[in-house]
Amino acid sequence: MKAASELIDRLSYDDVTIEAVARASGVSKSSLYRRWPSRRVLVLEAFTYRTNLLTHVQDTGDVGRDLHSYLVAMTHCLVEGETASTVAQLLSEAIRSSEFSRLYRKTLLREGRKGFISVLRRGQNRGQIRKDIDLSAVTDALYGAIHHRLIATGAAFDAPFLQHLHEFAIAGCATPAYLKQRSIAR
Amino acid sequence: MKAASELIDRLSYDDVTIEAVARASGVSKSSLYRRWPSRRVLVLEAFTYRTNLLTHVQDTGDVGRDLHSYLVAMTHCLVEGETASTVAQLLSEAIRSSEFSRLYRKTLLREGRKGFISVLRRGQNRGQIRKDIDLSAVTDALYGAIHHRLIATGAAFDAPFLQHLHEFAIAGCATPAYLKQRSIAR
């Protein structure tokens, strides 16, 4: 897993092969094939492993700061190294195969969504995010914006974009009290 | 185009073949192949044609109402008939081929995004949407939420989801004056 996840950082999706993982990890190809009959499942699991290591959900007590940090962590891997192609190709495989889609939803997607939802829910518990907000729909918008920029428009994940997305989301679901506190702080 | 777009409504992506379009339109297969050497390009153009017919951008003077109407129109085709598979497969093809991606961005994607941006820009011109809002990022979030629900989570495009998404977006980018007017109206 560790060897495979390091390769994902350095190589495009197509180049993360069973042979490459065997060489990097010292594990035999036959052992790898037994455990992962399909290359895309190996890449999905290795990428989920890597993402879990790198995208911690912060808890500073400020939902705006925690949401922005999580957006930066989630998109960092899309500007550094080769992982953008991996994320995109895994989505494409999920579209083409309902079996792979089921696995994708139970692993990488679930972990990514959990991060957004836990930041927002902690915000609700602190009176910073409104209780009537549908956290699932907001997560669709945030996670969806990232994938849309990656696969549809191809535009950059620069600091202004992340700032705008975060501000828009906070304005969209924060309590009046928290919004007032933020504007006083500026 | 018309024959192909009607087939898209009734058949899944895989079943909209050159043969089926030839039968439905009365145009010979060789003529079709000359014009569209690739099936996915035919489906993309027919679907763009169909979407343009069906997703008018309203201008009622109320940005909230116009945005909600556009969201309903954009997702209507994802609950009726077979078009959900077509939208998803076209995205998948765009991920897998940079040449097809370029065409996708110039046609279906551009039309879809134009709709969101024109609703929001008219809102800005009327003082209902804040002038400092990045319309491109908000469009990523709205259009992205739709695709995310379609290809990532597979959850339904029901009325509560569309209502929540629309409310979240309006709260996220409306002017204080417009928000006040909306809350008084309720």
Side-chain angles (χ1 to χ4, degrees), chain B residues 49-60 65-74 76 111-112 114-116 118-119 122:
Chain B
Y49 168 87
R50 181 187 179 284
T51 303
N52 288 345
L53 288 179
L54 298 179
T55 55
H56 299 292
V57 172
Q58 303 218 334
D59 188 8
T60 65
R65 189 174 311 143
D66 294 345
L67 179 64
H68 187 260
S69 299
Y70 190 65
L71 282 169
V72 168
M74 285 290 272
H76 180 77
E111 291 305 311
K114 256 169 57 175
F116 285 114
S118 64
V119 169
R122 277 205 283 259

Short mmCIF file of all heavy atoms in Angstrom, two decimals, chain B residues 49-60 65-74 76 111-112 114-116 118-119 122:
data_model
loop_
_atom_site.label_atom_id
_atom_site.label_comp_id
_atom_site.label_asym_id
_atom_site.label_seq_id
_atom_site.Cartn_x
_atom_site.Cartn_y
_atom_site.Cartn_z
N TYR B 49 -27.90 19.53 -28.46
CA TYR B 49 -29.06 20.04 -29.21
C TYR B 49 -30.33 19.91 -28.36
O TYR B 49 -31.10 20.87 -28.20
CB TYR B 49 -29.18 19.23 -30.50
CG TYR B 49 -30.46 19.40 -31.29
CD1 TYR B 49 -30.60 20.42 -32.23
CD2 TYR B 49 -31.53 18.51 -31.12
CE1 TYR B 49 -31.77 20.55 -32.97
CE2 TYR B 49 -32.70 18.64 -31.84
CZ TYR B 49 -32.82 19.66 -32.78
OH TYR B 49 -33.98 19.79 -33.50
N ARG B 50 -30.53 18.73 -27.78
CA ARG B 50 -31.71 18.46 -26.96
C ARG B 50 -31.73 19.33 -25.71
O ARG B 50 -32.77 19.88 -25.34
CB ARG B 50 -31.65 16.98 -26.57
CG ARG B 50 -32.82 16.50 -25.72
CD ARG B 50 -32.51 15.06 -25.29
NE ARG B 50 -33.57 14.53 -24.46
CZ ARG B 50 -33.75 14.86 -23.18
NH1 ARG B 50 -32.96 15.75 -22.61
NH2 ARG B 50 -34.74 14.33 -22.49
N THR B 51 -30.58 19.47 -25.07
CA THR B 51 -30.50 20.25 -23.84
C THR B 51 -30.80 21.72 -24.12
O THR B 51 -31.51 22.38 -23.35
CB THR B 51 -29.10 20.11 -23.21
OG1 THR B 51 -28.85 18.72 -22.98
CG2 THR B 51 -29.01 20.84 -21.89
N ASN B 52 -30.29 22.24 -25.23
CA ASN B 52 -30.58 23.63 -25.58
C ASN B 52 -32.07 23.88 -25.76
O ASN B 52 -32.60 24.93 -25.39
CB ASN B 52 -29.83 24.02 -26.85
CG ASN B 52 -28.35 24.16 -26.60
OD1 ASN B 52 -27.92 24.24 -25.47
ND2 ASN B 52 -27.58 24.20 -27.66
N LEU B 53 -32.77 22.89 -26.35
CA LEU B 53 -34.22 23.02 -26.53
C LEU B 53 -34.96 23.06 -25.19
O LEU B 53 -35.94 23.77 -25.05
CB LEU B 53 -34.78 21.82 -27.31
CG LEU B 53 -34.46 21.70 -28.79
CD1 LEU B 53 -35.10 20.43 -29.34
CD2 LEU B 53 -34.98 22.91 -29.55
N LEU B 54 -34.46 22.28 -24.24
CA LEU B 54 -35.25 22.02 -23.03
C LEU B 54 -34.88 22.87 -21.82
O LEU B 54 -35.60 22.90 -20.85
CB LEU B 54 -35.13 20.54 -22.64
CG LEU B 54 -35.66 19.54 -23.66
CD1 LEU B 54 -35.45 18.11 -23.17
CD2 LEU B 54 -37.14 19.76 -23.94
N THR B 55 -33.70 23.51 -21.85
CA THR B 55 -33.31 24.25 -20.65
C THR B 55 -33.19 25.73 -20.93
O THR B 55 -32.10 26.27 -21.08
CB THR B 55 -31.97 23.73 -20.07
OG1 THR B 55 -30.98 23.78 -21.09
CG2 THR B 55 -32.09 22.32 -19.54
N HIS B 56 -34.35 26.36 -21.02
CA HIS B 56 -34.35 27.81 -21.20
C HIS B 56 -33.97 28.49 -19.90
O HIS B 56 -34.32 28.02 -18.82
CB HIS B 56 -35.76 28.29 -21.57
CG HIS B 56 -36.26 27.70 -22.84
ND1 HIS B 56 -35.70 28.00 -24.07
CD2 HIS B 56 -37.25 26.82 -23.07
CE1 HIS B 56 -36.35 27.31 -25.00
NE2 HIS B 56 -37.29 26.60 -24.43
N VAL B 57 -33.29 29.60 -20.02
CA VAL B 57 -32.99 30.40 -18.84
C VAL B 57 -34.13 31.41 -18.69
O VAL B 57 -34.40 32.19 -19.60
CB VAL B 57 -31.64 31.12 -19.02
CG1 VAL B 57 -31.42 32.11 -17.89
CG2 VAL B 57 -30.52 30.11 -19.07
N GLN B 58 -34.81 31.34 -17.58
CA GLN B 58 -35.93 32.26 -17.36
C GLN B 58 -35.43 33.63 -16.90
O GLN B 58 -34.32 33.77 -16.43
CB GLN B 58 -36.85 31.70 -16.28
CG GLN B 58 -37.35 30.31 -16.62
CD GLN B 58 -38.79 30.10 -16.20
OE1 GLN B 58 -39.27 30.75 -15.28
NE2 GLN B 58 -39.47 29.21 -16.90
N ASP B 59 -36.30 34.62 -17.05
CA ASP B 59 -35.96 35.96 -16.56
C ASP B 59 -37.20 36.59 -15.95
O ASP B 59 -37.86 37.42 -16.57
CB ASP B 59 -35.40 36.82 -17.69
CG ASP B 59 -34.86 38.15 -17.17
OD1 ASP B 59 -34.79 38.33 -15.93
OD2 ASP B 59 -34.51 39.02 -18.00
N THR B 60 -37.53 36.16 -14.74
CA THR B 60 -38.73 36.66 -14.08
C THR B 60 -38.45 37.94 -13.28
O THR B 60 -39.36 38.53 -12.71
CB THR B 60 -39.29 35.62 -13.09
OG1 THR B 60 -38.32 35.43 -12.05
CG2 THR B 60 -39.58 34.30 -13.79
N ARG B 65 -35.94 32.62 -7.98
CA ARG B 65 -36.90 31.85 -8.76
C ARG B 65 -36.25 31.35 -10.06
O ARG B 65 -36.41 30.19 -10.45
CB ARG B 65 -38.13 32.69 -9.08
CG ARG B 65 -39.28 31.90 -9.72
CD ARG B 65 -40.53 32.76 -9.89
NE ARG B 65 -40.86 33.45 -8.65
CZ ARG B 65 -41.35 34.68 -8.58
NH1 ARG B 65 -41.56 35.39 -9.67
NH2 ARG B 65 -41.62 35.22 -7.41
N ASP B 66 -35.48 32.23 -10.71
CA ASP B 66 -34.84 31.85 -11.98
C ASP B 66 -33.80 30.76 -11.78
O ASP B 66 -33.65 29.86 -12.61
CB ASP B 66 -34.21 33.08 -12.65
CG ASP B 66 -35.25 34.10 -13.09
OD1 ASP B 66 -36.45 33.75 -13.14
OD2 ASP B 66 -34.87 35.25 -13.39
N LEU B 67 -33.05 30.86 -10.67
CA LEU B 67 -32.04 29.83 -10.40
C LEU B 67 -32.71 28.49 -10.12
O LEU B 67 -32.27 27.46 -10.64
CB LEU B 67 -31.16 30.24 -9.22
CG LEU B 67 -30.08 29.22 -8.85
CD1 LEU B 67 -29.07 29.05 -10.00
CD2 LEU B 67 -29.34 29.63 -7.58
N HIS B 68 -33.76 28.51 -9.32
CA HIS B 68 -34.46 27.27 -9.01
C HIS B 68 -35.03 26.64 -10.28
O HIS B 68 -34.91 25.43 -10.50
CB HIS B 68 -35.56 27.49 -7.97
CG HIS B 68 -36.20 26.23 -7.50
ND1 HIS B 68 -37.42 25.78 -7.97
CD2 HIS B 68 -35.76 25.27 -6.64
CE1 HIS B 68 -37.71 24.63 -7.41
NE2 HIS B 68 -36.73 24.30 -6.60
N SER B 69 -35.63 27.46 -11.14
CA SER B 69 -36.18 26.95 -12.41
C SER B 69 -35.09 26.31 -13.26
O SER B 69 -35.31 25.27 -13.90
CB SER B 69 -36.80 28.09 -13.23
OG SER B 69 -37.86 28.67 -12.53
N TYR B 70 -33.92 26.95 -13.29
CA TYR B 70 -32.84 26.41 -14.12
C TYR B 70 -32.32 25.08 -13.54
O TYR B 70 -32.05 24.14 -14.29
CB TYR B 70 -31.70 27.43 -14.25
CG TYR B 70 -30.67 27.03 -15.28
CD1 TYR B 70 -31.01 26.95 -16.63
CD2 TYR B 70 -29.36 26.71 -14.92
CE1 TYR B 70 -30.08 26.57 -17.59
CE2 TYR B 70 -28.42 26.34 -15.87
CZ TYR B 70 -28.78 26.27 -17.20
OH TYR B 70 -27.87 25.89 -18.15
N LEU B 71 -32.23 25.00 -12.22
CA LEU B 71 -31.81 23.75 -11.58
C LEU B 71 -32.81 22.63 -11.89
O LEU B 71 -32.41 21.50 -12.19
CB LEU B 71 -31.70 23.92 -10.06
CG LEU B 71 -30.44 24.62 -9.55
CD1 LEU B 71 -30.59 24.96 -8.06
CD2 LEU B 71 -29.19 23.77 -9.76
N VAL B 72 -34.10 22.95 -11.83
CA VAL B 72 -35.12 21.95 -12.15
C VAL B 72 -34.99 21.50 -13.60
O VAL B 72 -35.01 20.31 -13.90
CB VAL B 72 -36.54 22.52 -11.88
CG1 VAL B 72 -37.61 21.60 -12.48
CG2 VAL B 72 -36.77 22.69 -10.39
N ALA B 73 -34.81 22.45 -14.53
CA ALA B 73 -34.68 22.11 -15.95
C ALA B 73 -33.44 21.26 -16.21
O ALA B 73 -33.49 20.27 -16.94
CB ALA B 73 -34.64 23.38 -16.79
N MET B 74 -32.33 21.61 -15.58
CA MET B 74 -31.07 20.89 -15.80
C MET B 74 -31.13 19.46 -15.24
O MET B 74 -30.48 18.56 -15.75
CB MET B 74 -29.90 21.62 -15.12
CG MET B 74 -29.44 22.86 -15.86
SD MET B 74 -28.60 22.43 -17.43
CE MET B 74 -26.89 22.23 -16.83
N HIS B 76 -34.10 17.78 -14.67
CA HIS B 76 -35.29 17.07 -15.15
C HIS B 76 -34.90 15.92 -16.06
O HIS B 76 -35.41 14.81 -15.95
CB HIS B 76 -36.21 18.04 -15.88
CG HIS B 76 -37.47 17.40 -16.40
ND1 HIS B 76 -38.53 17.09 -15.59
CD2 HIS B 76 -37.80 16.98 -17.64
CE1 HIS B 76 -39.49 16.52 -16.30
NE2 HIS B 76 -39.08 16.44 -17.55
N GLU B 111 -22.66 25.30 -22.73
CA GLU B 111 -24.08 25.67 -22.71
C GLU B 111 -24.64 25.58 -21.29
O GLU B 111 -25.37 26.45 -20.84
CB GLU B 111 -24.90 24.76 -23.63
CG GLU B 111 -24.62 24.97 -25.11
CD GLU B 111 -24.79 26.42 -25.54
OE1 GLU B 111 -25.82 27.03 -25.22
OE2 GLU B 111 -23.85 26.94 -26.20
N GLY B 112 -24.30 24.51 -20.61
CA GLY B 112 -24.79 24.33 -19.24
C GLY B 112 -24.32 25.43 -18.31
O GLY B 112 -25.10 25.99 -17.53
N LYS B 114 -23.22 28.45 -19.15
CA LYS B 114 -23.77 29.76 -19.58
C LYS B 114 -25.10 30.04 -18.90
O LYS B 114 -25.40 31.17 -18.56
CB LYS B 114 -23.97 29.75 -21.10
CG LYS B 114 -22.92 30.54 -21.85
CD LYS B 114 -22.96 30.33 -23.35
CE LYS B 114 -24.29 30.68 -23.99
NZ LYS B 114 -24.19 30.55 -25.48
N GLY B 115 -25.90 28.99 -18.75
CA GLY B 115 -27.20 29.16 -18.12
C GLY B 115 -27.07 29.66 -16.69
O GLY B 115 -27.70 30.65 -16.31
N PHE B 116 -26.23 28.99 -15.90
CA PHE B 116 -26.03 29.42 -14.51
C PHE B 116 -25.48 30.84 -14.46
O PHE B 116 -25.96 31.69 -13.69
CB PHE B 116 -25.04 28.49 -13.80
CG PHE B 116 -25.62 27.15 -13.42
CD1 PHE B 116 -25.15 25.98 -14.02
CD2 PHE B 116 -26.61 27.05 -12.46
CE1 PHE B 116 -25.68 24.75 -13.67
CE2 PHE B 116 -27.15 25.82 -12.10
CZ PHE B 116 -26.68 24.67 -12.71
N SER B 118 -25.58 33.27 -16.64
CA SER B 118 -26.47 34.38 -17.05
C SER B 118 -27.53 34.66 -15.99
O SER B 118 -27.86 35.84 -15.76
CB SER B 118 -27.07 34.12 -18.43
OG SER B 118 -27.90 33.00 -18.39
N VAL B 119 -28.05 33.64 -15.31
CA VAL B 119 -29.00 33.88 -14.22
C VAL B 119 -28.33 34.72 -13.13
O VAL B 119 -28.88 35.72 -12.65
CB VAL B 119 -29.51 32.55 -13.60
CG1 VAL B 119 -30.28 32.80 -12.31
CG2 VAL B 119 -30.40 31.80 -14.59
N ARG B 122 -27.46 38.41 -14.26
CA ARG B 122 -28.67 39.26 -14.24
C ARG B 122 -29.00 39.64 -12.80
O ARG B 122 -29.42 40.76 -12.52
CB ARG B 122 -29.85 38.56 -14.90
CG ARG B 122 -29.84 38.69 -16.41
CD ARG B 122 -31.24 38.53 -16.97
NE ARG B 122 -31.64 37.13 -16.99
CZ ARG B 122 -31.63 36.37 -18.08
NH1 ARG B 122 -31.21 36.88 -19.23
NH2 ARG B 122 -32.01 35.13 -18.03
#
